[in-house]
Amino acid sequence: DYVMAVGMVAYSTSVLLLSQRGNTDRLCIRVAVLASMCMMSVAAGGICHQTYTTVESRNSLSFRILWSLCVGAIPLGNIWMGCCASEILRKLQSERLCSSAFEKLPIIPESFWYIYGLCGFSFTALGGISHQRPACDLFVAAVTQAPPSYYMMAVLIFLDHPKISYNVRIWGLVGLNCHIPLLPLYPMLVQYTDWSLGAINTLLHTWLAVSWALQAYCLYRIIQSMMIQPTQK
């Protein structure tokens, strides 16, 4: 958890260094905040796993606050994933260099993503999720990532732009999809193997880290491509 948190801090810093006023600044801020939500989730989760080891300790206010931040960072991250996709559409559609299919994709207003994410966070913070079973809480919250993730996938699938390579789009799509097996994989590993929970969590965190890294690479390269002056297709 802590290693992933440090990685997200380093990544968000590197993204902000690419910010150019009036060009990449909007996307850079959204990507950096998205990475910060990932950092907050794993950092708070690490503290909870390390410190609150009994049922009695998990009934405390401090645990509820930390776990609300850990799990609630997922629906809050939905805001910024959706906003990133909307911003990529807005920016690249304005250059008129993409395919007709990409040009026809609707730009979902960022206000929608704010409402969607804040509703999910409120549900979490008000006790809608158990606050007792960490993996279950996270998997339930992760299901809410589907709308912004599928929207980002649609953007990458139709993103036929001369400045963005096919490989970048593929790695982004792989990153968005490769964490999907974690939901059925976790209970199967718990029930049908003799692995310890520590070993299972290490595997799943490593898997998640790879997923995040691929998504981060894709968004980073898209930002870099925006720094190149557009030319006629």
Side-chain angles (χ1 to χ4, degrees):
D1 283 319
Y2 298 136
V3 171
M4 293 171 70
V6 171
M8 288 296 101
V9 171
Y11 174 71
S12 60
T13 302
S14 67
V15 165
L16 290 174
L17 292 176
L18 297 179
S19 180
Q20 292 179 339
R21 186 176 179 84
N23 184 20
T24 62
D25 53 343
R26 286 172 55 90
L27 183 56
C28 284
I29 290 172
R30 285 152 178 76
V31 173
V33 177
L34 174 60
S36 298
M37 293 298 101
C38 296
M39 180 276 295
M40 182 171 73
S41 179
V42 291
I47 295 172
C48 289
H49 285 305
Q50 184 178 9
T51 308
Y52 301 86
T53 58
T54 65
V55 174
E56 291 75 17
S57 65
R58 292 198 297 269
N59 285 325
S60 63
L61 177 61
S62 58
F63 175 82
R64 178 156 189 159
I65 292 173
L66 278 172
W67 199 244
S68 293
L69 292 176
C70 175
V71 181
I74 296 176
L76 288 178
N78 292 337
I79 298 174
W80 304 103
M81 175 64 80
C83 287
C84 285
S86 295
E87 176 60 19
I88 292 171
L89 271 176
R90 185 196 67 82
K91 176 66 177 177
L92 296 182
Q93 282 184 350
S94 67
E95 294 183 1
R96 303 295 182 183
L97 296 174
C98 297
S99 64
S100 58
F102 184 83
E103 297 287 350
K104 293 177 182 178
L105 286 176
I107 301 176
I108 297 178
E110 292 190 349
S111 57
F112 171 83
W113 298 119
Y114 276 100
I115 294 170
Y116 180 70
L118 290 173
C119 286
F121 177 77
S122 299
F123 180 77
T124 300
L126 293 174
I129 300 180
S130 72
H131 296 283
Q132 288 294 332
R133 300 183 180 276
C136 296
D137 289 358
L138 288 169
F139 282 131
V140 170
V143 172
T144 67
Q145 292 179 315
S149 294
Y150 284 125
Y151 186 52
M152 179 65 80
M153 288 181 206
V155 170
L156 295 177
I157 288 171
F158 294 105
L159 182 53
D160 180 17
H161 195 284
K163 296 190 298 185
I164 301 172
S165 71
Y166 177 77
N167 288 340
V168 168
R169 295 159 53 200
I170 290 298
W171 285 125
L173 289 168
V174 171
L176 287 165
N177 283 281
C178 74
H179 64 283
I180 294 175
L182 296 181
L183 179 56
L185 184 61
Y186 180 81
M188 291 176 65
L189 290 175
V190 171
Q191 185 171 358
Y192 297 111
T193 72
D194 57 357
W195 290 17
S196 67
L197 284 178
I200 294 173
N201 284 332
T202 299
L203 171 65
L204 299 190
H205 277 73
T206 302
W207 194 319
L208 181 63
V210 171
S211 173
W212 283 0
L214 293 175
Q215 295 175 53
Y217 170 75
C218 176
L219 290 171
Y220 190 87
R221 290 297 301 273
I222 289 176
I223 293 172
Q224 284 184 320
S225 73
M226 291 181 177
M227 301 170 70
I228 303 172
Q229 291 299 317
T231 56
Q232 292 299 320
K233 191 173 182 179

